[in-house]
Amino acid sequence: MAGKIFIFAVLIIASGHGQLESFWDSTSSETDTSTSNENNFTGFLANTYNFFNRVSNLFTDLNTSDSFTDEYKSGFSNEDCHLTCDQLITKYGYPVETHEVITEDGYILKMFRIPSDGPVVFLQHGLLGSADDYLVAGPDNALAYLLAKDGYDVWLANSRGCKYSRNHTKMDPSESAFWDFSWHELGYYDLPAMIDYTLNATRQQKLKYIGHSQGTTAFWVLGSERPEFMKKIERMIALSPIGFTSHMKSPIIRFIAPTGGFIHSLAKSVGLYELAPDNTLMTLFRRIACSGGQSAEIMCTNLMFLATGYNIEQLNVTNLPVILSHVPSGASAKQLAHYGQGIISGKFRKFDYDETENLERYGSSEPPDYDLSRVSPPVSLVYSDADWLCDARDVDSLQDKLPNVVDKHMVQSINFNHMDYVFAKDVKRLIYEPLSKMLTRYYKPSIVGTRIRV
């Protein structure tokens, strides 16, 4: 098995080496050199070295003092490290309900509810996350608690493949077929099942949807593929909205991007269908890419931060053991491969298999684009300019395609990164305060593109 994985890793690098020089907008001179060497082994080695050198630089230590390690170690005494979603909610004095939802294709999804008589808010986590994402920042900062405190009826979703939704009516997670899904299935099957369940349970006609990262991608799929659900959404707030990914900076996704569906097929052939934190390929990637010092070493051992980056300025170091105990929460390798395809194609479209399978599935040699004009509810786009997964230029492309963007808000903090939307020290001030205004019925829509540097 180890030999297969090594060959798999080499094939990833070899098949993609012609694209590696484009990582993070390389200079034209570098591109010219790489292109000239593209067809020889020297060029391959140079491109591969440059790629990992750039990745390693991203994780250079920003705080090498002993205080970082001391604060980090002190957090291990926090019992929140070991509590589940419902246990966390109970601990901090809120009522909690647990619900199970079965999708049309048989996946059994777990949802958590902090009940009230207020408006229904549906929280959808991002890539590699779970409902825990909206809780682990603590009772004074986490979005789920803040919403509950303000009287909302809070429903916490869990997509297939995460730790709370690893069951199926016929399949087991040990089977490769269980993991044969990308974020397309999350939007086509998971969201409809959970939204209908939530509305039936609350006897409401509409709900407010808040998605982070992949939670926004799945919503765009839902609107495109099943537009009848859009009448059930009163408002959609997209935190780090991901649709187009041409400028995505995530080193892992850029690493696999050039090979598209080929990597997905190859991964399945060697049993790498789940994107798990102890996956051998991820371990190999970490060893090559991460060597920046104490804080970098701590952060880089976690797959979530390796994929999304981290912001030392907004990092609650004492709470870091709690965060790292709850993420990553599991995902399919096909989900990352699907994002990677968007980097190469520059399009927001269905999964690209190969010409033969595309013809069978779609009736065309290339996968069709998602029709974003069908996403009709009022949409608020919340983004930053230091996000590895959600580049401001891609947000502009998304805005151009969506028909009803009523608000575009840049987070008022420099270096604000992808997971800061749920984990940052100042998430209440930077995210919840503007978000709570967006949720209110009388909020005056605006298109904002300015930022206050703090």
Side-chain angles (χ1 to χ4, degrees):
M1 181 65 178
K4 288 184 178 179
I5 293 172
F6 175 76
I7 294 172
F8 175 60
V10 171
L11 283 171
I12 289 174
I13 298 172
S15 61
H17 82 270
Q19 298 287 341
L20 297 183
E21 75 277 3
S22 64
F23 178 62
W24 280 42
D25 297 330
S26 301
T27 63
S28 58
S29 61
E30 286 178 304
T31 302
D32 292 342
T33 302
S34 299
T35 302
S36 65
N37 291 328
E38 182 171 87
N39 295 317
N40 60 55
F41 188 67
T42 303
F44 159 64
L45 291 177
N47 286 334
T48 304
Y49 172 80
N50 289 336
F51 174 84
F52 282 113
N53 187 51
R54 289 191 183 110
V55 174
S56 182
N57 289 338
L58 299 180
F59 286 90
T60 299
D61 228 347
L62 298 178
N63 184 348
T64 56
S65 65
D66 292 337
S67 62
F68 182 98
T69 304
D70 292 341
E71 288 181 50
Y72 171 69
K73 290 180 178 179
S74 70
F76 281 104
S77 60
N78 190 336
E79 69 171 345
D80 290 7
C81 293
H82 313 291
L83 299 181
T84 60
C85 185
D86 52 330
Q87 291 172 335
L88 286 168
I89 294 170
T90 300
K91 173 183 175 179
Y92 290 109
Y94 294 91
V96 62
E97 297 174 2
T98 302
H99 299 263
E100 282 193 347
V101 182
I102 301 178
T103 67
E104 294 175 33
D105 58 344
Y107 285 82
I108 302 172
L109 314 178
K110 185 173 288 187
M111 298 186 72
F112 299 101
R113 179 190 186 188
I114 306 177
S116 85
D117 295 328
V120 178
V121 175
F122 184 101
L123 296 177
Q124 178 62 56
H125 63 80
L127 181 68
L128 293 167
S130 72
D132 293 355
D133 294 1
Y134 292 106
L135 296 169
V136 295
D140 298 323
N141 252 348
L143 295 182
Y145 295 127
L146 295 172
L147 288 163
K149 193 178 298 183
D150 281 348
Y152 289 99
D153 188 356
V154 180
W155 287 76
L156 295 153
N158 287 287
S159 297
R160 64 183 65 193
C162 85
K163 62 184 178 182
Y164 295 117
S165 298
R166 294 171 63 92
N167 291 299
H168 192 276
T169 55
K170 296 180 180 179
M171 295 186 292
D172 187 86
S174 63
E175 301 175 53
S176 60
F178 180 94
W179 298 98
D180 188 17
F181 61 84
S182 78
W183 35 259
H184 174 85
E185 285 74 16
L186 273 58
Y188 193 87
Y189 294 113
D190 292 8
L191 288 185
M194 290 189 288
I195 288 172
D196 272 349
Y197 184 95
T198 300
L199 292 176
N200 290 334
T202 57
R203 298 181 180 180
Q204 299 296 314
Q205 299 298 313
K206 292 188 175 186
L207 54 77
K208 301 174 191 288
Y209 183 104
I210 300 174
H212 171 239
S213 179
Q214 184 181 253
T216 71
T217 312
F219 187 86
W220 315 138
V221 173
L222 173 67
S224 171
E225 299 298 295
R226 306 186 74 167
E228 67 273 15
F229 276 86
M230 295 296 94
K231 66 183 179 182
K232 303 177 183 182
I233 309 300
E234 181 179 334
R235 188 181 187 93
M236 192 279 188
I237 298 177
L239 306 177
S240 186
I242 302 179
F244 297 97
T245 56
S246 296
H247 302 95
M248 185 180 281
K249 302 179 182 72
S250 172
I252 287 181
I253 299 178
R254 278 213 169 269
F255 182 46
I256 67 173
T259 56
F262 168 71
I263 279 195
H264 169 62
S265 300
L266 189 59
K268 287 198 301 182
S269 70
V270 296
L272 296 176
Y273 37 82
E274 179 184 3
L275 196 65
D278 58 352
N279 179 291
T280 307
L281 178 61
M282 295 300 103
T283 301
L284 173 64
F285 190 97
R286 283 197 299 266
R287 288 177 179 174
I288 296 173
C290 310
S291 58
Q294 285 186 336
S295 63
E297 189 173 318
I298 291 170
M299 300 303 295
C300 209
T301 57
N302 187 276
L303 176 58
M304 173 74 80
F305 292 102
L306 186 59
T308 66
Y310 66 99
N311 174 12
I312 202 74
E313 297 167 7
Q314 281 294 327
L315 186 63
N316 184 339
V317 179
T318 304
N319 196 47
L320 186 55
V322 176
I323 295 171
L324 298 184
S325 297
H326 289 270
V327 297
S329 187
S332 165
K334 191 175 179 180
Q335 292 169 253
L336 251 68
H338 201 169
Y339 278 128
Q341 289 178 358
I343 294 176
I344 302 305
S345 71
K347 298 180 179 181
F348 182 52
R349 62 185 188 179
K350 296 182 182 181
F351 195 87
D352 189 358
Y353 294 89
D354 56 43
E355 185 172 343
T356 301
E357 189 166 351
N358 286 343
L359 283 168
E360 293 176 358
R361 288 174 176 264
Y362 311 129
S364 59
S365 59
E366 292 194 356
D369 293 350
Y370 291 108
D371 185 358
L372 292 172
S373 69
R374 294 179 173 180
V375 182
S376 55
V379 172
S380 295
L381 302 175
V382 183
Y383 70 106
S384 71
D385 61 359
D387 190 329
W388 283 15
L389 267 65
C390 174
D391 189 275
R393 292 166 291 183
D394 292 329
V395 176
D396 290 340
S397 298
L398 184 63
Q399 181 186 358
D400 290 341
K401 296 290 185 179
L402 292 170
N404 197 11
V405 175
V406 296
D407 184 70
K408 185 182 178 188
H409 175 78
M410 180 181 282
V411 178
Q412 298 179 16
S413 176
I414 58 174
N415 299 322
F416 200 84
N417 214 315
H418 193 70
M419 297 311 298
D420 289 340
Y421 290 90
V422 287
F423 298 150
K425 288 189 292 188
D426 296 322
V427 69
K428 181 178 180 180
R429 175 174 62 86
L430 295 172
I431 298 300
Y432 186 71
E433 289 181 4
L435 181 150
S436 63
K437 294 178 181 178
M438 295 172 192
L439 285 172
T440 59
R441 181 178 300 175
Y442 302 107
Y443 177 65
K444 183 179 180 181
S446 62
I447 302 296
V448 180
T450 58
R451 179 190 65 230
I452 299 173
R453 293 187 175 268
V454 296

